[in-house]
Amino acid sequence: CQFEKNFGEKIVAGSTGNNEIRVFEVKQNFKCVDGVRDLEQGIFSLDWDKNGECFVYGGGEGLCGLISKRA
């Protein structure tokens, strides 16, 4: 898991047990506010960009991606 680097208001966590990514809101008592479920393989690494606007992740079978806060 990683704290958002800009303000530390969110935490992103990846899992190999449930094969998912979850985003938690620190100011809402660590409530899960977003996520990606039912991935075929586990998530082994992830990190926020320096501005806290997106994060990247890597997982099994070469899975990788970028998730952005921007619409």
Side-chain angles (χ1 to χ4, degrees):
C1 73
Q2 288 283 331
F3 277 92
E4 179 184 31
K5 290 181 175 41
N6 197 14
F7 299 108
E9 295 177 356
K10 292 189 174 29
I11 299 172
V12 65
S15 167
T16 58
N18 294 330
N19 298 343
E20 64 185 6
I21 299 169
R22 289 189 182 189
V23 180
F24 300 92
E25 181 68 50
V26 173
K27 291 184 177 182
Q28 294 181 23
N29 202 25
F30 300 97
K31 177 182 176 184
C32 182
V33 294
D34 205 354
V36 179
R37 302 181 116 187
D38 300 323
L39 297 167
E40 290 190 30
Q41 295 287 320
I43 299 299
F44 297 109
S45 72
L46 42 78
D47 200 6
W48 289 95
D49 76 320
K50 67 179 181 178
N51 297 317
E53 294 183 10
C54 65
F55 64 87
V56 294
Y57 61 89
E61 294 188 8
L63 173 71
C64 64
L66 179 140
I67 297 180
S68 175
K69 289 185 189 178
R70 296 183 182 190

